[in-house]
């Protein structure tokens, strides 16, 4: 039986073609999956940011996130601040 080639995550990602991002027409509000299904006061987007943080953000009133550090698997860099993490494709 033939087996597919095996790659590490980093090898697989670096083998993908790279193109400029085109975000024309994107509107976050068109994607209702960011709602607060678990009723904990945070949207699913914030829940993901909290769960994926290398250094946890501070969670304030209304689930406002400040601080925090995330690892971007896309380009192998550390991202600081929840607004920076929110700009990465994997959180959008």
């Amino acid at each position: 039986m033939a087996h597919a080639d095996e790659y590490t995550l980093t090898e697989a990602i670096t083998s993908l073609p790279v193109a400029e991002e085109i975000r024309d027409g994107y509107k976050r509000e068109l994607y209702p999956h960011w709602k607060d299904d678990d009723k904990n006061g945070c949207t699913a987007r914030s829940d993901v940011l909290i769960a994926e943080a290398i250094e946890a953000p501070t969670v304030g009133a209304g689930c406002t996130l400040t601080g925090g550090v995330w690892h971007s698997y896309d380009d192998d860099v550390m991202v600081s601040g929840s607004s920076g993490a929110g700009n990465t494709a994997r959180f959008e």
Side-chain angles (χ1 to χ4, degrees), residues 13-21 74:
I13 289 172
T14 57
S15 72
L16 294 172
V18 177
E20 279 205 41
E21 180 178 27
D74 301 327

Side-chain angles (χ1 to χ4, degrees), residues 7-8 43 46 58 62 87:
Y7 297 95
T8 66
T43 64
S46 293
T58 300
N87 289 332

Side-chain angles (χ1 to χ4, degrees), residues 20-38:
E20 279 205 41
E21 180 178 27
I22 300 171
R23 294 179 62 111
D24 294 339
Y26 173 81
K27 295 180 183 172
R28 183 178 292 162
E29 63 272 9
L30 295 177
Y31 299 89
H33 59 278
W34 290 133
K35 60 188 174 185
D36 182 15
D37 281 333
D38 61 6

